[in-house]
Amino acid sequence: MSNSDEVEDVVPTDYEIAQSTNMEQIWELVEPWGLTLDDLQYFGEYTAKVKHHAIERLREEAENKEKNLVLVTGMTPTPKGEGKTVTTVGLGQTLNHLGEDAMIAIREPSLGPVFGVKGGAAGGGHSQVLPMEDINLHFTGDLHALTSAHNLIAAMLDARLSQGNDLDINVNDVEWERALDMNDRALRKTVVGLGGSSGGTPREDGFKLTAASELMAVLCLASDLGDLKERVGRIIVAFDTDGEPITVDDIEATGPVTMLLRDAMKPNVVQTVEGTPAFVHGGPFANIAHGTNSLIADKAAFGMGDYLVTEAGFGSDLGAEKFMNIVCRLGDMTPNAVVLVSSVRALQYHGLEQWPVDYGEIDDAGVEAIRDGFENLDRHVSNLLKFGVPVVVAVNRFPDDSDEEVQAILDHCQDDLGVRAAESQVFEHGSEGGEDLGEHVIDAVNESDEEEFSYLYDIEAPISEKIERIATEIYGADGVKFTGGALDDIERMEELGFDDFPVCMSKTFHSFSDDASKKKAPKGWELEISEVYPSAGAGFIVALTADALTMPGLPKRPAAADMDIDEDGEITGLF
Amino acid sequence: MSNSDEVEDVVPTDYEIAQSTNMEQIWELVEPWGLTLDDLQYFGEYTAKVKHHAIERLREEAENKEKNLVLVTGMTPTPKGEGKTVTTVGLGQTLNHLGEDAMIAIREPSLGPVFGVKGGAAGGGHSQVLPMEDINLHFTGDLHALTSAHNLIAAMLDARLSQGNDLDINVNDVEWERALDMNDRALRKTVVGLGGSSGGTPREDGFKLTAASELMAVLCLASDLGDLKERVGRIIVAFDTDGEPITVDDIEATGPVTMLLRDAMKPNVVQTVEGTPAFVHGGPFANIAHGTNSLIADKAAFGMGDYLVTEAGFGSDLGAEKFMNIVCRLGDMTPNAVVLVSSVRALQYHGLEQWPVDYGEIDDAGVEAIRDGFENLDRHVSNLLKFGVPVVVAVNRFPDDSDEEVQAILDHCQDDLGVRAAESQVFEHGSEGGEDLGEHVIDAVNESDEEEFSYLYDIEAPISEKIERIATEIYGADGVKFTGGALDDIERMEELGFDDFPVCMSKTFHSFSDDASKKKAPKGWELEISEVYPSAGAGFIVALTADALTMPGLPKRPAAADMDIDEDGEITGLF
């Protein structure tokens, strides 16, 4: 995601910047950060995985050193995104530029969306990670390994079902769909097992994007290979005819699935255009899962630098809430500062009375629309303060933004909200464009008190209470209405012993509410929960406000149609 | 595939041999063979891809040097396989041991079969390629790249079909199925596009194993990236309502698909347990495709060594015939010797009156059964001699084979058939077990006359005549019976301009005939051809004798169930 649409006449394209950067060999780049050649499993000269023994060592080293955790999140975004990854990469570069030792950790892109709508997921402009083409295509094969592992479970389950069914698998209660790392709407709902007795048992099935596989969430929350294997084994894949869960262990797939994920579990380290080391590892969905990069990458980063800048998906109502309540809890981490990314465009988008017909309407909306949009920003800020972590608002400046517009946001944050705020021009200028933001972040971290950090809910509270806390405290709902079988689901979760799991909310990211068309900060509404199910391997309970779309589709003319490669291997149209 | 079942009490397991080998760093290993560090895109220390610029250079260097091509093929095998890969790897090692500069090129394993039935595909014993675990699992991601590329075509086709259908795609005439590198019978026949209008167009579909994708055949026959792109573009994915073909070019997928295959197109180089460099690249099915490793690997190997030992799938009636008539023709190569792998077990298997109940019955069958099985070996030998290439019969010796049994085969070959023959013990003893075979191969190559090599059929001959030539000259049929729509298919192929393509036969490998139960060398039968279709990208026409199974299934308790990994990453049960 990048600002490139707006600035292509002003600065070079992402691709040109990437091509003009002299990358350092990855083993030389990370050597001052405490990793030797022997610690790395390298993929060419510029990408490496960190081997398990080195992760162990970094984890030990981290115990006795400064660990400043900075989370980058955002206000409720426009469909174009407000530049969270750009800000994350740019802030990491800036902290180094200002004399700190900062590492970056972000999610790795999924191949599926790359072909659907234009845009990679490696930052942009002068704040991107390299080598961009590799990262956006096959990279180190983590997504492919997850696809294979996911579909091995499915194949072993169907083999068991259709050849004797000794586990009494209920053919109408198979939870484990298949997965592909490809946007393919035709695979969303399928029937499999056709073609007579040699073709298995006919049943309804579907495919999800690999990023939406529970295995992805498991990989991103596991502390090591042993923990990964335990989590894989307890994933629920189906229910038997008595309604009892059937797990990956039950179908004897735990060993080979973990084996397939052996290398995927090792975090990938690359570099930014300014030579800051960045982990790019894991990329779970931010709706039915927690939406942040792997914990193992975070833990390794703590052993390398004094700062870790990381990013959470969607707006803070989803990404940051899950990062605090799920990831920090499971990983025993404490954030020292939160950067909330905002933009003139996003504030105007919320401020406009009518949903804009095109972006031109937003661009002309002026300062008044910005002020009308503050409601959205304000709720994000007050929400984040509830966790006891200092907040810094970053205004990600686009070339067309006027000084007056930017200043209106900065003034509001400082004067009305009493929080730190700074303009960010890291897209256009790299670390030099982030100096003001970086200094505010350092100050916020220095002022932070880890004792003040608290989760939003008690993990021992009843499931319905945890959902209610998030709905009222974060989303601003008056309460929660459980519909369909949601209450029965919760009862079942409690019977199965999952009542002490944190809750992973699946809600639209277009609004604080469960209605995507409601902008600003809606009041006077109830959150509707239609279904609750366990991600037993990941270790959280998913609460659905509506059908979660886990397999996107391609448009009639997808971005892929404009991608090309010449006979010398030069790629065009990817960014 | 290995001999390990029989010898586990005698020699260490494949895994133990692999683990006890001190591998050399791949860039040091290949340096004397003319590749520098800059020529390699490495994956860890022991695996590398050869970059396109280096391939170009090797191709030029090959023009002015000795290029001795040795093809390893086999007699009609038992279901356990007779050790073609072991012989290929062992012979390559032996030739180096005897002072020649020999390279090896073999296919890369598909992940699917690894989980279904026990057995990797990297040779075995003291004649295997390393690192075995990587090669048998994700390796360098070539199969994964092919899976992605294949399914991108499918997704773009369905997006086009369900959103306007401006190409008038006939929903009942979509040729392009989806693909996974996983044995999964439940995906063999499916219905996709369900779930209402947002889920695409409902239609019948299916999945094939990635190795059976036409993209795999295309990758293995393309000379470079430019040629790859041209071949990808002309693949036929569907027919329109007027019956006209719709290609990958028509759905605008050529560019992104070729982009996804950029790295997969680069051949992978690894080492054997004795340090012989081996290309392991590409693995097309040997029934609906040609069943040999990539041409680009062969071409690179010719620039590195004086000998290239390569392997063709199944028995010589399929693998060698296709290698000669398709691969050598498209790649402009001339074989200098053919090694025909036989075994005591295979000859007894053919010699027994009744299909054996278990392998114990074969083991006790004695010399008489061997003699009764010569018919099969004899036809393979006489077939191969028709191409004008010297034949060396290798008797792959298993530990239980008696001297008398082995000698009976050697005597028959030398005395009755007048061809060279040698015992091979490369599984148990590496190159020292192949000395006799290696010397015969060197002599055969020295005696060979490239002028005498000839294809079995004229490429300009009518399609039906090409099929008849193969049926009568190789399979020993009296003639060909075209059933179903086969004659119409041929007429259509001629209209579409595919009449000057070579023919790729899809027939059982269990028999010379199209009836898997007929052993030895069946006579007095007609080959039945039920369907003919083009692989327009690969550049051949496929003639089916029956439904070709392109998606295998898992047994009720697959080999995967016995695979495991511990918390230190040690894998068990993979081999």
Side-chain angles (χ1 to χ4, degrees):
Chain A
M1 221 57 71
S2 76
N3 299 15
S4 62
D5 289 344
E6 285 70 20
V7 294
E8 54 193 0
D9 299 333
V10 186
V11 296
T13 64
D14 292 2
Y15 187 73
E16 284 162 354
I17 292 169
Q19 288 292 308
S20 67
T21 302
N22 279 320
M23 285 188 276
E24 206 175 341
Q25 286 176 320
I26 193 68
W27 44 89
E28 288 182 5
L29 185 102
V30 297
E31 195 268 328
W33 301 79
L35 286 176
T36 68
L37 195 57
D38 186 46
D39 295 332
L40 303 178
Q41 176 178 337
Y42 29 86
F43 291 70
E45 291 173 85
Y46 309 113
T47 301
K49 283 185 167 289
V50 180
K51 294 180 183 170
H52 293 306
H53 76 262
I55 300 285
E56 282 312 303
R57 195 186 66 232
L58 291 171
R59 216 190 291 259
E60 282 165 28
E61 280 168 14
E63 277 173 24
N64 303 309
K65 60 186 282 299
E66 221 177 326
K67 290 184 287 289
N68 294 313
L69 176 59
V70 179
L71 176 71
V72 177
T73 184
M75 60 180 292
T76 306
T78 70
K80 287 202 174 183
E82 304 324 305
K84 282 200 309 290
T85 307
V86 165
T87 305
T88 305
V89 174
L91 177 59
Q93 293 183 148
T94 301
L95 291 173
N96 283 300
H97 170 68
L98 295 174
E100 307 292 342
D101 290 330
M103 292 283 303
I104 295 163
I106 58 175
R107 290 168 290 170
E108 58 188 304
S110 163
L111 203 52
V114 166
F115 294 121
V117 287
K118 191 178 164 67
H126 292 276
S127 293
Q128 55 173 307
V129 286
L130 304 174
M132 227 179 165
E133 290 175 18
D134 292 344
I135 293 171
N136 278 309
L137 293 176
H138 307 293
F139 201 28
T140 58
D142 294 343
L143 273 286
H144 292 319
L146 284 158
T147 303
S148 289
H150 185 110
N151 291 322
L152 176 61
I153 294 175
M156 289 180 79
L157 181 65
D158 263 303
R160 199 83 178 222
L161 169 66
S162 64
Q163 296 175 66
N165 196 12
D166 58 337
L167 293 173
D168 280 329
I169 299 163
N170 182 346
V171 71
N172 290 312
D173 212 353
V174 175
E175 306 292 309
W176 196 256
E177 297 186 324
R178 286 174 168 82
L180 270 188
D181 188 20
M182 187 61 60
N183 283 10
D184 190 347
R185 76 180 71 240
L187 291 179
R188 219 175 263 166
K189 297 281 179 199
T190 65
V191 172
V192 299
L194 302 176
S197 59
S198 72
T201 304
R203 64 180 187 82
E204 290 181 63
D205 195 20
F207 282 71
K208 52 183 64 177
L209 204 62
T210 302
S213 166
E214 186 176 344
L215 283 180
M216 174 62 98
V218 161
L219 184 88
C220 289
L221 292 172
S223 54
D224 53 31
L225 262 182
D227 185 36
L228 176 71
K229 192 168 153 183
E230 279 183 35
R231 289 171 182 274
V232 166
R234 61 180 192 242
I235 291 173
I236 296 172
V237 293
F239 291 90
D240 68 16
T241 48
D242 292 330
E244 293 302 314
I246 293 169
T247 64
V248 170
D249 259 351
D250 293 332
I251 60 166
E252 303 181 282
T254 307
V257 163
T258 310
M259 178 182 76
L260 281 172
L261 298 177
R262 180 185 61 169
D263 289 339
M265 185 68 192
K266 300 170 189 163
N268 312 298
V269 63
V270 295
Q271 63 194 281
T272 72
V273 285
E274 293 190 9
T276 296
F279 281 112
V280 179
H281 190 225
F285 258 35
N287 55 7
I288 50 87
H290 58 287
T292 45
N293 61 266
S294 72
L295 254 180
I296 200 169
D298 292 346
K299 296 291 183 166
F302 281 136
M304 294 170 70
D306 297 329
Y307 275 81
L308 169 62
V309 185
T310 188
E311 176 198 7
F314 295 160
S316 88
D317 51 325
L318 289 159
E321 183 274 310
K322 293 177 187 186
F323 185 77
M324 307 289 192
N325 286 316
I326 300 176
V327 182
C328 285
R329 181 148 20 202
L330 294 176
D332 194 21
M333 300 191 298
T334 306
N336 300 84
V338 178
V339 173
L340 181 72
V341 177
S342 66
S343 72
V344 167
R345 181 171 73 187
L347 282 158
Q348 290 172 333
Y349 171 82
H350 285 283
L352 285 171
E353 279 306 301
Q354 296 295 319
W355 197 283
V357 180
D358 59 45
Y359 280 84
E361 248 184 82
I362 304 186
D363 288 344
D364 299 335
V367 172
E368 208 46 50
I370 291 176
R371 289 191 213 287
D372 286 339
F374 280 153
E375 271 183 43
N376 183 270
L377 182 69
D378 295 359
R379 190 183 277 174
H380 282 285
V381 169
S382 66
N383 283 351
L384 290 168
L385 291 172
K386 290 176 184 172
F387 291 97
V389 182
V391 174
V392 182
V393 175
V395 183
N396 183 27
R397 183 161 185 168
F398 288 66
D400 287 343
D401 298 345
S402 72
D403 287 346
E404 188 196 1
E405 289 171 325
V406 172
Q407 197 58 47
I409 306 173
L410 298 176
D411 289 347
H412 173 70
C413 293
Q414 285 152 356
D415 302 344
D416 304 336
L417 303 178
V419 293
R420 298 175 174 281
E423 179 185 44
S424 170
Q425 297 192 64
V426 295
F427 181 89
E428 218 170 328
H429 302 298
S431 61
E432 290 187 1
E435 286 175 0
D436 195 25
L437 175 63
E439 281 163 6
H440 274 295
V441 168
I442 292 169
D443 289 346
V445 165
N446 288 338
E447 288 163 14
S448 71
D449 177 358
E450 298 196 357
E451 297 294 311
E452 287 189 17
F453 174 65
S454 66
Y455 306 121
L456 189 73
Y457 53 80
D458 181 3
I459 198 69
E460 305 288 345
I463 293 170
S464 57
E465 198 179 304
K466 293 179 219 179
I467 295 172
E468 276 157 11
R469 281 286 285 176
I470 297 169
T472 54
E473 293 291 320
I474 301 291
Y475 303 162
D478 290 341
V480 178
K481 189 164 63 182
F482 294 96
T483 62
L487 284 177
D488 292 340
D489 291 343
I490 290 174
E491 202 178 318
R492 188 81 181 107
M493 295 305 98
E494 287 166 351
E495 281 168 21
L496 291 171
F498 299 139
D499 43 341
D500 61 347
F501 276 12
V503 171
C504 181
M505 302 294 288
S506 172
K507 181 184 72 69
T508 176
F509 61 90
H510 293 296
S511 170
F512 269 116
S513 79
D514 53 6
D515 175 350
S517 70
K518 288 188 180 155
K519 291 179 289 175
K520 297 185 182 175
K523 283 178 196 158
W525 61 282
E526 279 197 313
L527 183 75
E528 201 174 308
I529 297 291
S530 58
E531 189 187 343
V532 178
Y533 69 84
S535 280
F540 52 67
I541 281 171
V542 181
L544 294 185
T545 60
D547 262 3
L549 185 70
T550 53
M551 174 52 91
L554 290 179
K556 180 182 172 185
R557 190 159 196 288
D562 290 319
M563 295 176 186
D564 205 0
I565 184 171
D566 70 13
E567 56 190 27
D568 296 322
E570 288 297 314
I571 287 172
T572 49
L574 182 56
F575 310 111
Chain B
M1 221 54 71
S2 75
N3 299 15
S4 62
D5 289 345
E6 286 70 21
V7 295
E8 56 194 359
D9 299 334
V10 186
V11 296
T13 64
D14 291 1
Y15 187 74
E16 285 162 355
I17 292 169
Q19 289 291 306
S20 67
T21 303
N22 280 320
M23 283 187 279
E24 205 175 341
Q25 287 176 319
I26 194 67
W27 45 88
E28 288 181 6
L29 186 103
V30 297
E31 195 268 328
W33 299 80
L35 286 175
T36 68
L37 194 57
D38 186 47
D39 295 331
L40 303 177
Q41 175 178 339
Y42 29 86
F43 292 70
E45 291 172 85
Y46 309 114
T47 301
K49 282 184 168 287
V50 180
K51 294 180 183 170
H52 293 306
H53 75 262
I55 300 285
E56 282 311 305
R57 195 186 65 231
L58 291 172
R59 215 190 290 259
E60 281 165 28
E61 281 168 14
E63 277 173 24
N64 303 310
K65 62 187 279 301
E66 222 177 326
K67 292 185 287 288
N68 294 313
L69 175 59
V70 179
L71 175 72
V72 177
T73 184
M75 60 180 291
T76 306
T78 71
K80 287 200 174 184
E82 303 325 304
K84 280 200 311 288
T85 308
V86 166
T87 305
T88 305
V89 173
L91 177 58
Q93 293 182 147
T94 301
L95 291 174
N96 283 297
H97 170 68
L98 294 174
E100 306 292 341
D101 290 329
M103 292 283 303
I104 295 163
I106 58 176
R107 289 169 291 171
E108 58 187 305
S110 163
L111 202 50
V114 166
F115 294 121
V117 287
K118 191 177 167 66
H126 291 277
S127 293
Q128 53 172 306
V129 285
L130 304 174
M132 226 179 166
E133 291 176 17
D134 293 344
I135 293 171
N136 277 309
L137 293 176
H138 308 293
F139 201 29
T140 58
D142 295 342
L143 272 288
H144 292 320
L146 284 158
T147 303
S148 289
H150 185 109
N151 291 320
L152 176 61
I153 294 175
M156 289 180 79
L157 180 65
D158 263 305
R160 198 83 178 222
L161 169 67
S162 65
Q163 296 174 67
N165 196 12
D166 58 337
L167 293 174
D168 280 328
I169 300 162
N170 182 346
V171 71
N172 290 313
D173 211 354
V174 175
E175 304 293 309
W176 195 255
E177 297 187 324
R178 286 173 168 83
L180 269 189
D181 189 19
M182 186 62 60
N183 283 10
D184 191 346
R185 75 179 72 241
L187 292 179
R188 218 175 265 166
K189 297 280 179 199
T190 65
V191 172
V192 300
L194 302 175
S197 58
S198 71
T201 304
R203 64 179 187 83
E204 290 182 64
D205 196 21
F207 282 71
K208 53 182 66 178
L209 203 63
T210 302
S213 166
E214 187 177 343
L215 283 179
M216 175 62 98
V218 162
L219 184 88
C220 289
L221 292 173
S223 54
D224 54 31
L225 263 182
D227 184 37
L228 176 71
K229 192 167 154 184
E230 278 182 36
R231 289 171 182 273
V232 166
R234 61 179 193 240
I235 291 174
I236 295 171
V237 294
F239 290 90
D240 69 15
T241 48
D242 292 330
E244 293 302 314
I246 292 169
T247 64
V248 170
D249 259 351
D250 292 331
I251 60 166
E252 302 181 283
T254 308
V257 163
T258 310
M259 178 181 77
L260 281 172
L261 299 177
R262 181 186 58 169
D263 289 341
M265 185 69 192
K266 301 170 188 163
N268 311 297
V269 63
V270 295
Q271 63 194 278
T272 72
V273 285
E274 292 190 11
T276 296
F279 281 112
V280 180
H281 189 224
F285 259 34
N287 54 7
I288 49 86
H290 59 287
T292 45
N293 63 264
S294 71
L295 253 181
I296 200 170
D298 292 345
K299 296 291 183 163
F302 281 136
M304 295 169 70
D306 297 329
Y307 275 81
L308 168 62
V309 185
T310 189
E311 178 198 4
F314 295 160
S316 86
D317 50 326
L318 289 159
E321 183 273 309
K322 293 178 186 185
F323 185 78
M324 306 290 191
N325 286 317
I326 299 176
V327 182
C328 286
R329 180 148 22 202
L330 293 177
D332 194 20
M333 301 191 299
T334 306
N336 301 84
V338 178
V339 173
L340 181 71
V341 178
S342 67
S343 72
V344 167
R345 180 171 73 188
L347 283 158
Q348 289 171 333
Y349 171 81
H350 285 282
L352 285 170
E353 278 306 301
Q354 296 295 319
W355 198 283
V357 180
D358 58 44
Y359 280 84
E361 249 184 85
I362 303 186
D363 288 344
D364 300 334
V367 172
E368 207 46 51
I370 291 176
R371 291 191 213 286
D372 286 340
F374 281 152
E375 271 183 44
N376 184 269
L377 182 70
D378 295 357
R379 189 183 279 175
H380 283 286
V381 170
S382 65
N383 283 350
L384 289 168
L385 291 172
K386 291 177 183 171
F387 293 96
V389 183
V391 174
V392 182
V393 174
V395 182
N396 183 26
R397 183 162 185 165
F398 288 66
D400 288 344
D401 297 344
S402 71
D403 287 345
E404 189 196 0
E405 289 170 326
V406 171
Q407 197 59 47
I409 306 174
L410 297 176
D411 288 348
H412 173 68
C413 293
Q414 286 153 355
D415 301 344
D416 303 336
L417 302 179
V419 294
R420 297 173 174 281
E423 177 186 47
S424 170
Q425 296 193 64
V426 295
F427 181 89
E428 220 171 326
H429 302 297
S431 59
E432 291 187 0
E435 286 175 1
D436 196 25
L437 175 63
E439 281 163 6
H440 274 295
V441 167
I442 292 169
D443 288 346
V445 165
N446 288 338
E447 288 164 13
S448 71
D449 177 358
E450 299 196 357
E451 296 295 311
E452 286 189 18
F453 174 64
S454 66
Y455 305 121
L456 189 73
Y457 53 80
D458 181 2
I459 198 69
E460 306 287 346
I463 293 170
S464 56
E465 196 179 305
K466 294 180 219 180
I467 295 172
E468 277 156 12
R469 280 286 287 176
I470 298 169
T472 54
E473 293 291 321
I474 302 292
Y475 303 162
D478 290 342
V480 178
K481 189 165 61 182
F482 294 95
T483 63
L487 282 178
D488 292 340
D489 290 343
I490 289 174
E491 201 178 321
R492 187 83 182 103
M493 294 305 96
E494 287 166 350
E495 281 168 21
L496 290 171
F498 299 139
D499 43 340
D500 61 347
F501 277 13
V503 171
C504 181
M505 301 295 287
S506 172
K507 180 185 73 68
T508 177
F509 61 90
H510 294 296
S511 171
F512 269 116
S513 79
D514 53 6
D515 175 349
S517 70
K518 289 189 180 153
K519 292 181 289 174
K520 297 186 182 175
K523 284 177 195 158
W525 61 282
E526 278 198 313
L527 183 75
E528 201 175 308
I529 296 292
S530 58
E531 189 187 342
V532 178
Y533 67 85
S535 279
F540 52 68
I541 282 171
V542 181
L544 294 185
T545 60
D547 262 4
L549 186 69
T550 54
M551 173 53 90
L554 291 179
K556 180 181 173 185
R557 190 161 194 287
D562 290 318
M563 295 175 187
D564 205 359
I565 183 170
D566 70 13
E567 55 190 28
D568 296 321
E570 288 298 312
I571 288 172
T572 49
L574 182 54
F575 309 112

